[in-house]
Amino acid sequence: MSENEYLAREKMRALQQERLLNLVPRLYEKVAFYRKRMQEHRISPADIHSLNDITRLPFTTKDDMREVYPYGLLAVPLAEIEEIHTSSGTTGKVVVAAYTRNDLNIWGEVMGRTLAMGGVTEKDVVQNAYGYGLFTGGMGAHYGGQHIHATVIPISGGNTRRQLTFLQDFGSTALTCTPSYAIYLAEAAREAGLDPKSFSLKYGFFGAEPWSEGMRQEIERGLGIKAYDIYGLTEIIGPGVASECTEQNGMHVNEDHFYPEIINPDTGEALPDGEKGELVITTLSKTGTPLLRYRTRDITYLTRGTCPCGRTTVRMHRLFGRTDDMLIIRGVNVFPSQIEEVLLSFKMVEPHYQLIVDRKDSLDRLEVQVEMNEALFSDEVRNLEGIERRIESALASALLLHARVRLVEPKAIPRSEGKAVRIVDKRVL
Amino acid sequence: MAIDQVSVFIENREGRLAEVSRLLTAKGVNIRALSLADTADFGVLRLIVNDPASCAEALKGAGFVARTTEVIALGIEDQPGGLDAVLGFFAEHNVNVEYMYAFVEKTEGKAIVVFKTRDTAATEALAREKNIPILTGDMLAKL
């Protein structure tokens, strides 16, 4: 628990302003990318006098981050960086987040708040089933648990049998993983003849993929716990940007560190509280790779006012979707353009493809349908299967995700006049 | 002496095979032999027909992916061990049979088997050496 979660609005704004006025000159001085960007917008740090002036600053996009890969956004010498994470993406096109000691402390603090908001204390045992590695879920939840002195079990993702054994034997009280994996765990427990309600589990902190109230109810029923929605993204810090309190009515944004704005994604203009638009975040206190007005592409709205839990921080609604065509599959970000790039690296493949996403046994599945053509065709089935396997393995190394490739007849994929319908998302959330 | 086989890609969905047969009927194509190789998702229908070139064109015109492939049709003794003798001979000479299928009809008391191998010309030479009858497209069309 931090007093910053309970500040009066004017005190929060004063803190945010102080941090912004420190950030902007720092970025101008230390990061060539931002200096150039501000010059292009004919704005200098001297023009930023108050928090309200933030709307005069340029946005940062994911493409910007890719362009300056790998170290172009570092605001400190590399020697001061203690950890690096990247967001999933095509090889060589990942987005880099570099953390200083200061940033890791912030991460522990905000993820500590996330867990504490749901009720976790030093007496709890946190079974952290987010994947450890470049993905920020694992380390983020780990640092958060340690920050509030809970017992953290770094079991990482997968190995369901062991997850169930640990839930039974170690008396885990908190579970951190993707929501779809939580549902899968509940099913696996029942199949193994275990009653999840006999576990000591009390609450779970779920994020990294889209989910819904329906899934929340399924998880809460299936595991007999409170299921909390948490939000974050690698570019900003990883998980810990915002999370639900026990009211489960919107996610409290850790706005002392991450300043949120909602904009019209088409015009870039600011939208008032309560109106749906694209979430834009400025990292007020990070020192490794701080970002100005980062366009998350996530759609939500903000609500201000004191929450019944006592916190005064602004709340963001559960995500409504995205402004781009990014798919989140088993926690991995997938853009159709990445898949297209892989497909077209096969000379004989034509750009007629469709992505079918569905959910079986609570796990997302991606099928890539590719149209057959004369150049690809062979009268030998094993050659055709070989093509499917080769594309699958190229996709696996580019996306870090298994996608099933299926050859279909020509013209099987609907043609459209305008933008091709590339994605059929059959997931019922 | 190799003959042209028509191969067509067919998705595994209901009625798709029937659409091919309806199309071939409409075009007056007479199917002499066929084999269907399939997976869970798709199949490859292989046909020996009276006029392979126009059959392939008709299929392509209807939006199918089709092609002609060279295969070799051999007359095999229609008795136990007849096929085994040929396959044994091929194996001795390192002929790799990709796939094979048989005609329903016979010719001069021999069963007709279609072979697809890596090297059709070499297989033909071997068959000639062993005096295995090789059937031409004309012979098959007259069956």
Side-chain angles (χ1 to χ4, degrees), chain A residues 3 10 18 26 73 83 87 100 120 139 145 153 217 242-243 257 266 272 293 306 332 343 397:
Chain A
E3 63 173 27
E10 61 275 21
E18 178 197 326
R26 183 152 45 91
L73 285 170
E83 193 166 311
S87 79
T100 59
V120 176
M139 299 304 281
I153 304 177
Q217 283 163 22
S243 60
H257 296 293
D266 299 322
R293 306 190 81 201
T306 307
V332 179
L343 292 180
S397 53

Side-chain angles (χ1 to χ4, degrees), chain A residues 377 379 382 385 404 409, chain B residues 11 16 41 67 98-99:
Chain A
F377 184 50
D379 55 316
R382 66 170 172 175
E385 287 180 321
R404 183 170 179 273
E409 281 177 25
Chain B
E11 251 178 67
R16 208 52 189 141
D41 299 338
R67 69 187 292 173
E98 308 291 346
Y99 57 79

